[in-house]
Amino acid sequence: MNKDDITAIKKLLSAEKHIVIVPHKNPDGDAIGSTLGLYHYLKKHNHTVQVITPNDYPGFLKWVPGENTILKYDSQTQDSIKAIENADIIFTLDFNAFHRTGQMQSVLETSEAIKILIDHHQEPDDYATYMYSDVSMSSTCEMVYNFIHMLNDTDKIDAEIATCLYLGIMTDTGSFRFRSTTSTTHRIVAELIEKGAKNSDIHNNVYDTNSYNRLQLLGCALTNLRVIPELRTAYITLTQNELRKFDYKKGDTEGVVNYALSLENVILAAIFIEDKQEGIIKISLRSKGSFSVNEFSRAHFSGGGHNNAAGGRSETSLHSTVEKFLSILPQYKDALNHE
């Protein structure tokens, strides 16, 4: 985002506006943290602001400051459409293509509001008037901090904003262990703590509150874990019946794929989750080093994301999806053994 863009946005935000903020479907910690962090910041400038998520999100994100103000498009459709139709500005955060919002796609595409994109995923679509896109960033929350800094307004960051932004940086960096975590990231996090983010409480709220069924489901997933040593790959499957058996709730499988990636000598990990309601197999991919799961997912599973963390989908059966995955892997033997 260049100086001219920042000047234009400052002028745009100098008068009270109706603003809508939207994350991607199935929002995660970075999506919720960035949208609510920006929400609190814009409210300080007396704008009328509404966060609208395409659908619901996990219970471990229901404590975030301002969460109770969010509209869910799938269950509050008319209120959501009205807010979008009245919007002067729409911020799209943590995604860069309208199809990532599911049922919201058409209403966002037809909206005449000024669009401002803040996102760190690869290959953005060209829909925004103002675009802040940087794939080197650890998280969209780090970018929202930078956006506020570009506006020379970091003095406005209070404990609520700091808490939201810390949440997204923490979750999208795997608690600060991924390679996208830079010294600048740590300096921003330090400032957020100084501004009032209670790092220990945030971590506990996200990671240390488990239901009995969630742990049982994790046990089931680990039982289903399979390893392909010669291809340095591990994968997990979960059927709809297994999800039902352990009373699956949204978010219960968050992070499970990382157990596969943690295995010694494994640099590619995948989890395949059957979703009969949507009629798809949801796929999460993780990698270490230079192996790009973004490219892998884009090429074979209608997905994408980051080099070391991506998602995809399949419209065939769970068995057929896994068979496809296994048939493709030998093509990547050299790359998988390059590390």
Side-chain angles (χ1 to χ4, degrees), residues 38-162:
L38 184 60
Y39 164 86
H40 290 297
Y41 167 73
L42 292 171
K43 291 285 284 185
K44 282 178 171 286
H45 288 277
N46 299 314
H47 298 294
T48 300
V49 190
Q50 181 64 63
V51 175
I52 305 174
T53 60
N55 60 344
D56 204 1
Y57 36 86
F60 59 76
L61 297 174
K62 297 289 176 78
W63 59 271
V64 185
E67 182 277 328
N68 61 331
T69 68
I70 293 175
L71 290 177
K72 287 90 170 175
Y73 185 87
D74 62 347
S75 60
Q76 298 168 290
T77 307
Q78 293 307 312
D79 288 342
S80 299
I81 290 174
K82 183 177 179 181
I84 292 169
E85 288 177 343
N86 290 336
D88 303 304
I89 304 169
I90 296 177
F91 281 87
T92 65
L93 269 56
D94 204 35
F95 72 94
N96 57 25
F98 282 137
H99 73 266
R100 295 279 283 113
T101 63
Q103 295 178 350
M104 293 184 70
Q105 179 176 353
S106 61
V107 69
L108 290 173
E109 286 177 337
T110 57
S111 168
E112 296 182 1
I114 293 170
K115 313 284 195 319
I116 301 176
L117 176 152
I118 304 177
D119 178 63
H120 64 138
H121 296 88
Q122 299 185 17
E123 300 181 36
D125 285 355
D126 185 21
Y127 65 79
T129 306
Y130 303 106
M131 182 181 296
Y132 178 22
S133 175
D134 188 342
V135 299
S136 71
M137 286 286 136
S138 73
S139 56
T140 301
C141 277
E142 182 171 346
M143 298 178 75
V144 170
Y145 174 90
N146 290 341
F147 178 70
I148 296 172
H149 185 267
M150 291 177 204
L151 296 174
N152 297 315
D153 230 4
T154 53
D155 61 310
K156 295 290 196 306
I157 296 177
D158 58 13
E160 288 186 324
I161 297 171

Side-chain angles (χ1 to χ4, degrees), residues 138-139 142 145 162 165-170 173 176 181-197 199:
S138 73
S139 56
E142 182 171 346
Y145 174 90
L165 300 185
Y166 185 100
L167 163 69
I169 297 173
M170 178 190 74
T173 60
F176 315 106
T181 309
T182 64
S183 57
T184 300
T185 307
H186 282 292
R187 282 190 284 270
I188 290 171
V189 163
E191 183 172 339
L192 295 177
I193 293 172
E194 290 173 356
K195 297 277 191 179
N199 53 310

Side-chain angles (χ1 to χ4, degrees), residues 68-328:
N68 61 331
T69 68
I70 293 175
L71 290 177
K72 287 90 170 175
Y73 185 87
D74 62 347
S75 60
Q76 298 168 290
T77 307
Q78 293 307 312
D79 288 342
S80 299
I81 290 174
K82 183 177 179 181
I84 292 169
E85 288 177 343
N86 290 336
D88 303 304
I89 304 169
I90 296 177
F91 281 87
T92 65
L93 269 56
D94 204 35
F95 72 94
N96 57 25
F98 282 137
H99 73 266
R100 295 279 283 113
T101 63
Q103 295 178 350
M104 293 184 70
Q105 179 176 353
S106 61
V107 69
L108 290 173
E109 286 177 337
T110 57
S111 168
E112 296 182 1
I114 293 170
K115 313 284 195 319
I116 301 176
L117 176 152
I118 304 177
D119 178 63
H120 64 138
H121 296 88
Q122 299 185 17
E123 300 181 36
D125 285 355
D126 185 21
Y127 65 79
T129 306
Y130 303 106
M131 182 181 296
Y132 178 22
S133 175
D134 188 342
V135 299
S136 71
M137 286 286 136
S138 73
S139 56
T140 301
C141 277
E142 182 171 346
M143 298 178 75
V144 170
Y145 174 90
N146 290 341
F147 178 70
I148 296 172
H149 185 267
M150 291 177 204
L151 296 174
N152 297 315
D153 230 4
T154 53
D155 61 310
K156 295 290 196 306
I157 296 177
D158 58 13
E160 288 186 324
I161 297 171
T163 296
C164 295
L165 300 185
Y166 185 100
L167 163 69
I169 297 173
M170 178 190 74
T171 54
D172 248 33
T173 60
S175 296
F176 315 106
R177 73 181 188 273
F178 296 159
R179 63 166 56 187
S180 60
T181 309
T182 64
S183 57
T184 300
T185 307
H186 282 292
R187 282 190 284 270
I188 290 171
V189 163
E191 183 172 339
L192 295 177
I193 293 172
E194 290 173 356
K195 297 277 191 179
K198 296 181 179 178
N199 53 310
S200 179
D201 290 349
I202 296 169
H203 187 280
N204 290 341
N205 286 338
V206 174
Y207 295 117
D208 294 341
T209 304
N210 285 307
S211 67
Y212 176 79
N213 281 327
R214 186 182 185 191
L215 292 181
Q216 291 292 300
L217 181 62
L218 172 60
C220 176
L222 295 180
T223 300
N224 295 346
L225 174 65
R226 299 291 180 268
V227 182
I228 311 168
E230 67 275 15
L231 295 172
R232 303 180 72 183
T233 297
Y235 68 94
I236 294 168
T237 59
L238 283 171
T239 68
Q240 189 74 67
N241 285 338
E242 288 168 333
L243 297 175
R244 191 177 297 114
K245 178 180 178 181
F246 298 108
D247 192 27
Y248 168 79
K249 299 289 190 301
K250 187 178 288 289
D252 281 355
T253 57
E254 187 82 19
V256 172
V257 67
N258 293 323
Y259 286 92
L261 190 63
S262 72
L263 286 168
E264 184 179 4
N265 201 43
V266 165
I267 68 165
L268 171 62
I271 186 169
F272 303 91
I273 303 173
E274 189 175 38
D275 187 334
K276 289 195 171 178
Q277 183 177 353
E278 291 196 29
I280 62 171
I281 307 302
K282 295 180 178 178
I283 306 167
S284 290
L285 298 159
R286 299 291 185 270
S287 67
K288 297 174 183 173
S290 61
F291 187 85
S292 175
V293 287
N294 171 60
E295 294 178 6
F296 183 88
S297 184
R298 284 182 182 274
H300 303 291
F301 292 107
S302 304
H306 305 288
N307 284 335
N308 297 119
R313 57 188 284 158
S314 168
E315 295 182 355
T316 63
S317 69
L318 179 60
H319 176 77
S320 296
T321 302
V322 173
E323 286 296 305
K324 177 181 176 180
F325 176 72
L326 296 176
S327 71
I328 291 166

